[in-house]
Amino acid sequence: MEYILIIISAVFVNNILLSQFLGVCPFLGVSKKVSTALGMSAAVTFVMALATCVTYLLQYYVLVPLGVEYLQTVCFILVIAGLVQMVEIIIKKISPSLYQALGIFLPLITTNCAVLGVALMVVQKQFSFGGEAHMLNLGQSVVFAIASAIGFGLAIILFAGIREQLEISKVPKAFQGVPIALITAGIMAMAFMGFSGMV
């Protein structure tokens, strides 16, 4: 039951993009086509899950025992950068077209604050679900990371679909491009606020 509450909370109630506003750069930059948004969300899911697992182990088995918790941000960034390089090499070999479509945004996963934000949230916060505060174990942390990435993917794919539709719609000239994208993102964030109170 705890895992279900973590998933619902991370995907809908506390969506990493629309409630916590982490990872907005790729949200606006890679969301012009659904296919690109799918690729980006898959890459972010893989990196976020793996980074959370590695950083959780690094925090509790290296940094805390040595008493150097103040190095966690630097260590986490280095871990995420290494994982992104690995994902970039894999995508370049497996799908060169997706690699070209993602362009500059693939290396930007390194500085995507959503990935670092989830890794830091897991080790710094106590999560409240079911009316009680809980410290997450490794399994719950990975589930939270994957659910947060699914929430990221859901938001970016929905946004990409809406933006594709807006391209063929009659939008007033003053609102074309970025202005209508920001208005749409705001409306989506308000829609996701409707899930608050579920968990």
Side-chain angles (χ1 to χ4, degrees):
M1 188 63 177
E2 288 181 355
Y3 288 98
I4 294 169
L5 291 173
I6 291 170
I7 292 167
I8 292 170
S9 175
V11 174
F12 298 109
V13 180
N14 296 316
N15 186 287
I16 199 83
L17 267 171
L18 300 173
S19 294
Q20 299 179 29
F21 307 110
L22 295 173
V24 174
C25 177
F27 179 65
L28 294 173
V30 188
S31 61
K32 292 181 181 171
K33 293 183 180 178
V34 172
S35 58
T36 310
L38 278 167
M40 178 57 114
S41 61
V44 167
T45 302
F46 178 75
V47 170
M48 198 177 286
L50 202 54
T52 300
C53 185
V54 173
T55 55
Y56 183 95
L57 295 172
L58 179 69
Q59 174 75 13
Y60 291 112
Y61 293 103
V62 178
L63 299 179
V64 171
L66 295 175
V68 290
E69 295 93 338
Y70 57 88
L71 292 175
Q72 74 181 184
T73 304
V74 174
C75 292
F76 288 10
I77 289 171
L78 291 173
V79 166
I80 292 166
L83 291 173
V84 169
Q85 289 302 312
M86 184 177 74
V87 169
E88 189 173 357
I89 291 167
I90 291 169
I91 289 178
K92 192 173 184 180
K93 295 245 184 224
I94 293 175
S95 178
S97 60
L98 177 60
Y99 178 78
Q100 291 291 350
L102 290 174
I104 190 69
F105 292 101
L106 189 57
L108 284 179
I109 295 175
T110 305
T111 57
N112 185 343
C113 54
V115 177
L116 180 60
V118 168
L120 289 172
M121 275 188 248
V122 164
V123 298
Q124 289 181 346
K125 287 188 179 176
Q126 285 194 342
F127 292 86
S128 179
F129 51 86
E132 299 175 24
H134 299 274
M135 195 69 177
L136 299 183
N137 61 33
L138 179 60
Q140 292 170 332
S141 298
V142 172
V143 168
F144 174 75
I146 293 170
S148 294
I150 290 169
F152 177 91
L154 176 69
I156 198 170
I157 291 165
L158 288 173
F159 190 58
I162 293 169
R163 285 185 78 175
E164 281 185 356
Q165 188 64 36
L166 286 171
E167 289 293 319
I168 58 173
S169 299
K170 291 184 179 179
V171 177
K173 191 172 184 181
F175 289 106
Q176 289 177 356
V178 175
I180 195 67
L182 292 174
I183 291 168
T184 304
I187 293 169
M188 282 181 66
M190 287 184 352
F192 270 71
M193 281 178 60
F195 293 112
S196 62
M198 280 180 61
V199 177

